[in-house]
Amino acid sequence: MTIKGVLFDFSGTLFRVESSESWLRAVLAEADIPLSEAELIRAAQDLESAGALPGGASPAEPLPAGLSEMWALRDESAESHRTTYTALSRRVALPDPRLHDALYERHMVPDAWRPYPDAEAVLGALRERGIAIGVVSNIGWDLRPVFRAHGLDPYIGVYVLSYEHGIQKPDPRLFAIACQALGVAPEDTLMVGDSRPADGGAATLGCAVHFVDHLPVAERPDGLRPVLDLTS
């Protein structure tokens, strides 16, 4: 099998979002709202358990029926993404109700994201080999500015984002759109992601699939490098 194109997931694969504590701390500082350190840590833990940080942990407890339905479809539109995550955030008591919308806005800021240490080297090596590169993400907002801010946009040929198509992974149609945009047949394409349920949907289309661990940036310095062996 000769790989001619590689599709990457975004969150947990090429980039990792900041911690819940860093997320909340930044928003509190911007709003000039003081919390004691103990209160801040507790609130950050509650937000993480609620699954309120997009790109972070999923909800730790089963959701009520209505919110569970929203969660299942959250990445199909910008509206559903914002509505779902702010609803999750509002399950946690914060000192000012405006913080819930501010938290949502914060997670879309490029500074809230860090690329994995080997991301640029791996993308650059693939580009040098003439391999087409795309990003396929379940997301409710435009992540292109994150790639531009961190210098990775020049390596990406196409972005296929769920909210722009109204289709979520693992639906094979989203991967088909990406392969067509890259001009590469699915059987010549490798999908790289951190979610077996979502990214594994590419296999239905005939793509090869490789999984990485969704770990903090400091704990996964070279998790993408096996992709180079798979495409050599």
Side-chain angles (χ1 to χ4, degrees), residues 92-206:
V92 177
L94 295 176
D96 188 321
R98 292 173 294 181
L99 290 172
H100 299 290
D101 285 318
L103 284 168
Y104 186 83
E105 295 295 329
R106 165 68 190 181
H107 99 275
M108 296 185 286
V109 173
D111 283 350
W113 296 87
R114 289 178 60 194
Y116 281 94
D118 56 345
E120 184 167 13
V122 169
L123 292 174
L126 292 174
R127 176 56 65 88
E128 287 179 2
R129 295 176 184 178
I131 293 175
I133 302 170
V135 170
V136 182
S137 178
N138 279 353
I139 199 164
W141 50 277
D142 187 3
L143 51 73
R144 295 171 183 86
V146 176
F147 279 78
R148 289 197 291 267
H150 291 279
L152 299 188
D153 180 65
Y155 302 107
I156 310 302
V158 298
Y159 295 91
V160 177
L161 312 181
S162 61
Y163 85 101
E164 293 181 337
H165 298 278
I167 304 169
Q168 297 182 157
K169 296 183 289 187
D171 192 319
R173 290 178 295 169
L174 201 64
F175 303 106
I177 291 168
C179 289
Q180 183 175 13
L182 280 184
V184 179
E187 57 268 25
D188 298 325
T189 302
L190 173 67
M191 175 67 206
V192 182
D194 67 305
S195 170
R196 291 179 183 274
D199 301 310
T204 304
L205 195 65

Side-chain angles (χ1 to χ4, degrees), residues 55-80:
S58 297
E61 302 292 337
L63 298 173
L67 190 49
S68 177
E69 293 168 5
M70 291 165 57
W71 173 261
L73 302 175
R74 65 192 182 280
D75 295 316
E76 291 191 358
S77 72
E79 293 77 15
S80 61

Side-chain angles (χ1 to χ4, degrees), residues 13 25 33 135 151 207 212 225:
T13 300
R25 193 181 298 277
I33 295 176
V135 170
C207 301
V212 295
R225 291 195 179 275

